[in-house]
Amino acid sequence: MTTGGGVITTPLPGTTNTRDLGGLPTTAGRIVARGTLFRGDVLGPPGSGAECCWSDEFAQTYRALGLQLVVDLRSAPEVELVPSAWAPETGARLLHAPIPEGVEGTETDFMGMLRNGAITRFGPADLGVWYSQVFHRRAGVFGRVIAEIADPHGRPTLIHCHAGKDRTGLLVALILEVLGVPREAILEDYTVTGVNRRHVAEQAAPLIAELGLVMDEVRTFFEAPPLAMSSALEYLDREYGGVRGYLQQAGGVEPERLDALREGLLSR
């Protein structure tokens, strides 16, 4: 299913949040080519106990994507706990580009902070600040991945983290900005994750109550509020004059690579 703005909302079967970014419009009158760029959640090996696992039932659908590159943004401990089946099962090349922010045991382990009482509230503005910090800290990672996707041998590409919300959302927003997708459409695509994974908040409700917290005051952990992504992109506007400036100055991406990304991912 797509929205009027071309945002695909229905995930691939057997996943909670893996979807094609094709069809999104740009300000230059072109669209993101279908079947070239996917965003999603991890698929664990069969029987791994992950939320979503590779299944023979949908194997033909997954392999028909023709993936050439799978970008896994999870930390090393996450990968060790649940290896991603996307690359080995589709024959795609794997690019592990870890962004550990928010992961258990790190200084931004917000769920751990909730558990130990260090924080009791977390809203869209807080998430926006955290996103801005990730942009600041991981510019080199984002730049390296975007340079890889700009290479024709790196497409079609699937980008995933754990749920496909935060780390994947940040990288996808950068790519869509370079492609010239209107920010309104970028934010709309980002919010789809909150819809596709609304069950996560429901499942976490007993734990939140057990911790003595109010769900409405921490719901942002489980949702994708547009304010968070908007404020993070505005941070790049202020600091670098926009996403292209950020990727060139902080991410080390050559302008020619960004141009190649546009030509490779846009359809006339």
Side-chain angles (χ1 to χ4, degrees):
M1 180 183 298
T2 62
T3 67
V7 175
I8 293 179
T9 59
T10 304
L12 291 177
T15 74
T16 67
N17 197 33
T18 300
R19 55 192 194 272
D20 189 352
L21 290 164
L24 286 170
T26 71
T27 55
R30 301 172 70 180
I31 64 170
V32 178
R34 301 185 189 280
T36 60
L37 183 63
F38 299 84
R39 61 174 297 167
D41 43 352
V42 65
L43 277 184
S48 64
E51 182 179 9
C52 299
C53 293
W54 182 276
S55 167
D56 289 340
E57 179 182 1
F58 306 119
Q60 184 175 353
T61 298
Y62 301 150
R63 290 178 178 138
L65 301 177
L67 298 176
Q68 296 299 307
L69 178 66
V70 171
V71 179
D72 189 344
L73 299 174
R74 297 175 302 151
S75 67
E78 290 176 281
V79 172
E80 183 177 357
L81 183 64
V82 179
S84 173
W86 277 117
E89 294 288 356
T90 62
R93 177 168 61 92
L94 173 65
L95 173 59
H96 184 214
I99 297 178
E101 275 76 10
V103 177
E104 182 178 356
T106 66
E107 63 182 35
T108 51
D109 176 9
F110 294 113
M111 285 304 296
M113 296 179 195
L114 286 177
R115 290 175 181 273
N116 64 26
I119 59 175
T120 58
R121 299 186 180 203
F122 193 82
D126 300 308
L127 183 58
V129 170
W130 178 52
Y131 281 174
S132 298
Q133 292 172 345
V134 175
F135 277 148
H136 175 71
R137 294 174 177 174
R138 303 299 169 183
V141 177
F142 289 128
R144 178 164 65 98
V145 173
I146 285 176
E148 288 276 351
I149 299 174
D151 189 316
H153 298 293
R155 300 189 297 269
T157 303
L158 169 67
I159 300 166
H160 78 82
C161 49
H162 171 70
K165 179 172 90 76
D166 299 314
R167 293 167 287 185
T168 296
L170 292 173
L171 177 54
V172 165
L174 293 176
I175 294 172
L176 295 181
E177 281 267 337
V178 172
L179 299 183
V181 174
R183 189 160 294 182
E184 180 180 354
I186 295 173
L187 298 180
E188 184 181 359
D189 171 71
Y190 166 71
T191 61
V192 169
T193 294
V195 177
N196 287 347
R197 292 181 56 81
R198 55 186 176 275
H199 63 281
V200 178
E202 298 169 0
Q203 294 171 350
L207 172 62
I208 296 301
E210 182 182 329
L211 293 173
L213 301 171
V214 178
M215 175 58 83
D216 284 346
E217 295 179 348
V218 297
R219 189 176 296 276
T220 296
F221 279 116
F222 313 104
E223 295 183 343
L227 173 62
M229 184 61 71
S230 177
S231 63
L233 292 173
E234 288 169 0
Y235 160 75
L236 299 183
D237 293 340
R238 293 192 304 271
E239 295 296 317
Y240 300 96
V243 166
R244 283 187 69 103
Y246 164 72
L247 290 172
Q248 291 175 213
Q249 298 169 40
V253 184
E254 298 175 350
E256 295 78 12
R257 283 282 187 175
L258 298 179
D259 294 338
L261 185 75
R262 285 177 59 91
E263 289 307 308
L265 290 176
L266 292 181
S267 171
R268 297 188 185 279

